[in-house]
Amino acid sequence: MTDLSALETPAVLIDIDRVESNLRRAQDYADQHGLKLRPHIKTHKLPRFARRAIELGAVGITVQKLGEAEVFADAGIREIFLPYNIIGARKLARLRALAQRINISVTADSRETVAGLSATFADAPQPLNVLVECDTGMGRCGVQSPAAALDLAQVIAASPGLHFGGLMTYPAAGKVEQNAAWLAEAVDLLTANGLAPEIVSNGGTPDLWRAHEVTAATEHRPGTYIYMDRSQVARNVGTWADCALTVLATVVSRPTEDRAIIDAGSKALTSDTLGLTGFGLIEAYPEAVITGLSEEHGTLDLSRCTDKPRIGDTVRIIPNHACVVSNLFDRVHLISNEQLVETIEVAARGRVD
Amino acid sequence: MTDLSALETPAVLIDIDRVESNLRRAQDYADQHGLKLRPHIKTHKLPRFARRAIELGAVGITVQKLGEAEVFADAGIREIFLPYNIIGARKLARLRALAQRINISVTADSRETVAGLSATFADAPQPLNVLVECDTGMGRCGVQSPAAALDLAQVIAASPGLHFGGLMTYPAAGKVEQNAAWLAEAVDLLTANGLAPEIVSNGGTPDLWRAHEVTAATEHRPGTYIYMDRSQVARNVGTWADCALTVLATVVSRPTEDRAIIDAGSKALTSDTLGLTGFGLIEAYPEAVITGLSEEHGTLDLSRCTDKPRIGDTVRIIPNHACVVSNLFDRVHLISNEQLVETIEVAARGRVD
């Protein structure tokens, strides 16, 4: 074990005890409510944490890109859900190659997407499992009504090479009732039309602990829950003590009494605010505000701090959004009891396509 | 040459003819005004463009991280300016190793930084060139007054192993007169005290074409000028036709008449707004607004578009901020006359420390 002060900054630290606790808490919750868990790996991009979630009871993983699916398939994960419209000859060929070695499911929200999938899988040995993506309030992808969900489900069910697998949504945070009502209506409508969905997949960490209120859902896909972050603490989904990912940074300048500059900028923390003021919480100086980020500089307002960091001090930052930080670092440091355990590559970092 | 439609999305395209034109325009401007150019490579992170800038007359390059300096030194660049406070034993050791194989200069804005540099270079064969970083209005790093610049210059000049190299600023955009007055006063004060600065290094693309108004400066360090981007066009520093970096994306969903979803989200474009509305310009649909980004989804408002893209169409996006996009992609595609020329690794991507 090595002391953390030996690490160069900026660096990402992952507290593996907090990870374990976060994984268990969510699995226990899901088990208690008879929900399946299909965690999203976008937050960590690390096969070992996917394997651990599955050991604890997760039914598989969720990814957002073919490139991520390929990395996790290479790492031995056999059950992967890719809730995305896969479009274009090259991506469809990659999807078919993946389907030859793992169980992979995808989503569609249009006839165009379904047509491409069907053309690709019409002569495949096994049909591709395709869920209908539903816009239950997020305003992103998804069919716009339960009637449209039925319509597309019928198209999928009638398409060569495809199997209608159910419904999927990424809901708007905080709109649990609206999401639940939408899905319940859709399930009723599909069931009445002989297409009862096997899977109804709900997602997101913001409303993870209310997932059981979405009674039509058979499973949940949380992502950020494994690390938590400042935005989730702001929503009371987790506490500061649950936050497993921190960015270690060094104070490189104290130009004025009330200003400090750290060596973590937008290339370490990203510009994501998620509606919050400031770009993260400095653990040892919670009154400090990270008021601005350049690529390699973070600017701190220390005016409310009684104690203030000095040049050369290291600080630990809980970022607004943990997932995007994982995508910026080639390596992360696993820690336990404030000691370095191991430094590992972020296997699926930067898998953009 | 390959057609761009063969590329998987999202992808970064770099128009090498526009790069050449942007490099030449800036070098011509600098030559015309007797300014030296020391371009910042953070925007492209590609050794070939650094070499080309030097061929055209640049006196060296600027980097922001030791890791970037190491990559460019490995690629044969011999004159590197790292305007950062280098702090901590491991970073200082890397700096000393670099100084054994290239000409490297750094900055300092505190006695603490100077002390670390001096302790590291006291027994070095050559003194380290150290410039004083000046806060001429940006509110980031830097000494706060010309008197403080003199004070720190005297400390550097008296420190074993160090050579006082001059002054450096990254100025606030649009505050040319303030920046010019600050530096002029500092140069006068230092000169009167026997420490006339050899180099006075000014920077930034926003006021690149007014760099000659900062009469005390001997050189300029532009970065974004090589690619330009939506924020620089908004400032009238360049035109859309100068923008060399675009993100190629596919329309993956058209959930409503006025909404499109593309496969470029914050993992391709970043959340940087730089004060603008929306997250980039869609070249073929300039009336479209990129209203929101998730990690892998971009949401477009098409309500002002007469013509609207269809599912499967590819679009090209000029991002708000080019530099941060370069840091998200392992590879970029060089194009000329809308044809693929070569796909190359982004050598210094992700050099966080």
Side-chain angles (χ1 to χ4, degrees), chain A residues 88-172:
Chain A
R90 292 178 67 159
K91 284 194 165 49
L92 287 165
R94 289 166 67 194
L95 179 61
R96 175 136 181 199
L98 272 166
Q100 283 164 354
R101 57 185 181 124
I102 60 166
N103 289 324
I104 188 160
S105 303
V106 300
T107 56
D109 71 356
S110 70
R111 287 168 182 255
E112 290 88 340
T113 296
V114 172
L117 295 170
S118 179
T120 305
F121 282 84
D123 64 350
Q126 300 290 334
L128 178 70
N129 204 35
V130 182
L131 285 74
V132 172
E133 179 161 359
C134 303
D135 181 3
T136 64
M138 176 69 174
R140 204 168 65 180
C141 291
V143 297
Q144 295 296 299
S145 67
L150 171 62
D151 183 59
L152 196 60
Q154 289 171 331
V155 173
I156 294 167
S159 293
L162 306 185
H163 172 74
F164 169 63
L167 304 177
M168 167 264 168
T169 184
Y170 186 82

Side-chain angles (χ1 to χ4, degrees), chain B residues 273-297:
Chain B
T273 60
L274 304 181
L276 302 171
T277 297
F279 295 94
L281 176 86
I282 313 268
E283 284 191 323
Y285 303 92
E287 303 87 3
V289 181
I290 307 177
T291 54
L293 299 177
S294 309
E295 280 149 82
E296 307 291 7
H297 302 80

Side-chain angles (χ1 to χ4, degrees), chain A residues 327-328 352, chain B residues 266-270 324-330 349:
Chain A
N327 193 50
L328 292 172
V352 291
Chain B
S266 69
K267 244 179 73 179
L269 296 168
T270 85
V324 290
V325 173
S326 286
N327 193 51
L328 293 172
F329 286 79
D330 290 351
R349 180 210 57 74

Side-chain angles (χ1 to χ4, degrees), chain A residues 6 8-9 42 65 84 90-91 94 109 135 140 253 259 271-272 294-296 330 349 351, chain B residues 6 8-9 42 65 84 90-91 94 109 135 140 253 259 271-272 294-296 330 349:
Chain A
E8 283 204 61
T9 61
K42 69 175 187 132
K65 288 285 173 175
Y84 211 80
R90 292 178 67 159
K91 284 194 165 49
R94 289 166 67 194
D109 71 356
D135 181 3
R140 204 168 65 180
S253 179
R259 191 196 312 160
S271 300
D272 280 15
S294 310
E295 282 150 80
E296 308 288 8
D330 290 351
R349 180 211 57 75
R351 291 306 183 278
Chain B
E8 281 205 63
T9 60
K42 69 175 186 135
K65 288 285 172 175
Y84 212 81
R90 292 178 66 159
K91 283 193 165 50
R94 289 167 68 193
D109 72 355
D135 181 2
R140 204 169 63 182
S253 179
R259 191 196 312 162
S271 300
D272 280 16
S294 309
E295 280 149 82
E296 307 291 7
D330 290 351
R349 180 210 57 74

Side-chain angles (χ1 to χ4, degrees), chain A:
Chain A
M1 298 241 200
T2 309
D3 195 88
L4 301 182
S5 63
L7 299 173
E8 283 204 61
T9 61
V12 171
L13 312 180
I14 307 292
D15 186 314
I16 55 175
D17 306 309
R18 293 183 178 193
V19 164
E20 177 72 10
S21 167
N22 291 338
L23 291 179
R24 283 184 180 273
R25 188 181 306 116
Q27 188 63 54
D28 289 348
Y29 166 82
D31 291 345
Q32 183 188 336
H33 291 285
L35 270 174
K36 290 175 179 163
L37 216 59
R38 197 183 298 272
H40 205 307
I41 58 76
K42 69 175 187 132
T43 305
H44 55 83
K45 306 181 195 297
L46 298 170
R48 74 171 63 193
F49 290 159
R51 281 193 288 266
R52 182 61 184 147
I54 290 169
E55 283 172 6
L56 291 171
V59 295
I61 63 166
T62 307
V63 303
Q64 210 61 42
K65 288 285 173 175
L66 281 165
E68 293 174 342
E70 289 160 350
V71 167
F72 281 80
D74 289 348
I77 306 292
R78 289 283 159 266
E79 187 69 36
I80 299 183
F81 183 32
L82 171 52
Y84 211 80
N85 289 289
I86 301 300
I87 290 174
R90 292 178 67 159
K91 284 194 165 49
L92 287 165
R94 289 166 67 194
L95 179 61
R96 175 136 181 199
L98 272 166
Q100 283 164 354
R101 57 185 181 124
I102 60 166
N103 289 324
I104 188 160
S105 303
V106 300
T107 56
D109 71 356
S110 70
R111 287 168 182 255
E112 290 88 340
T113 296
V114 172
L117 295 170
S118 179
T120 305
F121 282 84
D123 64 350
Q126 300 290 334
L128 178 70
N129 204 35
V130 182
L131 285 74
V132 172
E133 179 161 359
C134 303
D135 181 3
T136 64
M138 176 69 174
R140 204 168 65 180
C141 291
V143 297
Q144 295 296 299
S145 67
L150 171 62
D151 183 59
L152 196 60
Q154 289 171 331
V155 173
I156 294 167
S159 293
L162 306 185
H163 172 74
F164 169 63
L167 304 177
M168 167 264 168
T169 184
Y170 186 82
K175 298 189 179 172
V176 176
E177 293 83 359
Q178 176 183 334
N179 184 34
W182 203 112
L183 292 175
E185 183 183 340
V187 169
D188 287 348
L189 186 62
L190 269 72
T191 303
N193 284 272
L195 282 171
E198 298 152 30
I199 294 174
V200 178
S201 185
N202 186 24
T205 295
D207 293 309
L208 171 57
W209 310 123
R210 297 185 62 190
H212 64 284
E213 297 178 39
V214 184
T215 51
T218 62
E219 66 174 38
H220 200 81
R221 310 181 316 279
T224 312
Y225 81 111
I226 188 170
Y227 288 165
M228 293 296 180
D229 57 23
R230 188 168 174 242
S231 76
Q232 302 298 343
V233 174
R235 293 177 180 278
N236 292 311
V237 184
T239 69
W240 295 121
D242 298 324
C243 291
L245 181 150
T246 51
V247 174
L248 185 73
T250 300
V251 175
V252 295
S253 179
R254 281 294 314 278
T256 71
E257 177 61 24
D258 286 339
R259 191 196 312 160
I261 307 293
I262 56 174
D263 63 356
S266 68
K267 245 178 72 179
L269 295 168
T270 84
S271 300
D272 280 15
T273 60
L274 303 182
L276 302 171
T277 298
F279 295 94
L281 176 87
I282 313 270
E283 284 191 325
Y285 302 92
E287 303 86 2
V289 181
I290 308 178
T291 55
L293 299 177
S294 310
E295 282 150 80
E296 308 288 8
H297 302 79
T299 301
L300 274 57
D301 176 0
L302 305 176
S303 57
R304 294 190 212 160
C305 301
T306 44
D307 186 26
K308 297 178 182 184
R310 291 166 303 181
I311 292 171
D313 285 354
T314 53
V315 293
R316 289 197 22 210
I317 304 155
I318 297 174
N320 289 343
H321 191 185
C323 315
V324 292
V325 173
S326 286
N327 193 50
L328 292 172
F329 285 78
D330 290 351
R331 282 166 291 280
V332 294
H333 304 291
L334 306 184
I335 67 170
S336 178
N337 295 316
E338 302 299 298
Q339 294 287 308
L340 178 66
V341 176
E342 189 180 354
T343 300
I344 62 173
E345 302 288 317
V346 183
R349 180 211 57 75
R351 291 306 183 278
V352 291
D353 63 18

